[in-house]
Amino acid sequence: MKTFNLTRTLRFTKIGCALITLAALTACASVNSFFKTTDSTLPTETLDSTGGEVSSARAYESADRLYVSGHIKKSLGRHIPYAAHVDVQLVDKIGRVIAEKQEDIDPRHSKLSGGISGRISYVASFPLSDARQATKITVRYHLDGHTS
């Protein structure tokens, strides 16, 4: 008859959890970039819409990427339409757009509170090589889609 050895089971469970954690961390593009970030020196300009505002914007760098993240705050009583999005642009010294990302704003997103002052987050990333050519970051909130 076999007996249940709780100590042995717990030891293997701990080892298994440690191995899964190690595998998950090494599966990231770069363990170093996963942990180490520094604030970017690029200035950030925010442009609002009549239906809401960019309430925060932060730019930070990892070993190989520039990340721009923040929050959108909807205006009092306004509904966020499905076409709402944030344009994040890297701009050079003559005003030319080097790189651009469009991040959709999902009104059903879990970060959006059901209250009047709902907030939703956004994140865009760029290769650090593009960021090195830029002199500023522009974050623009749009309620509607772009026209072609």
Side-chain angles (χ1 to χ4, degrees):
M1 180 169 121
K2 289 187 175 183
T3 60
F4 181 71
N5 187 339
L6 182 62
T7 307
R8 184 177 177 181
T9 303
L10 289 176
R11 186 176 73 218
F12 283 124
T13 302
K14 288 180 184 179
I15 291 171
C17 288
L19 289 174
I20 290 170
T21 302
L22 181 62
L25 288 175
T26 53
C28 295
S30 167
V31 174
N32 190 34
S33 68
F34 183 77
F35 291 109
K36 293 186 178 183
T37 61
T38 57
D39 287 334
S40 174
T41 58
L42 291 173
T44 304
E45 176 185 9
T46 60
L47 303 166
D48 302 329
S49 165
T50 55
E53 65 179 272
V54 180
S55 61
S56 68
R58 177 179 177 239
Y60 53 98
E61 298 174 2
S62 68
D64 58 350
R65 307 282 300 169
L66 169 75
Y67 294 92
V68 181
S69 66
H71 291 93
I72 302 297
K73 183 177 177 184
K74 72 177 187 173
S75 294
L76 184 64
R78 289 293 301 229
H79 170 72
I80 296 177
Y82 287 101
H85 64 277
V86 176
D87 288 330
V88 182
Q89 299 175 329
L90 300 180
V91 182
D92 68 8
K93 63 183 174 185
I94 61 172
R96 185 178 59 215
V97 175
I98 297 169
E100 179 176 20
K101 293 283 175 98
Q102 180 176 313
E103 295 298 316
D104 293 332
I105 302 295
D106 184 355
R108 298 166 298 169
H109 194 277
S110 61
K111 295 262 185 198
L112 184 62
S113 73
I116 294 173
S117 62
R119 289 169 43 125
I120 190 163
S121 60
Y122 65 89
V123 176
S125 72
F126 301 91
L128 210 48
S129 58
D130 289 346
R132 296 289 182 240
Q133 301 172 47
T135 56
K136 76 174 180 177
I137 302 165
T138 302
V139 180
R140 180 177 286 124
Y141 173 53
H142 294 277
L143 279 175
D144 301 316
H146 295 277
T147 55
S148 299

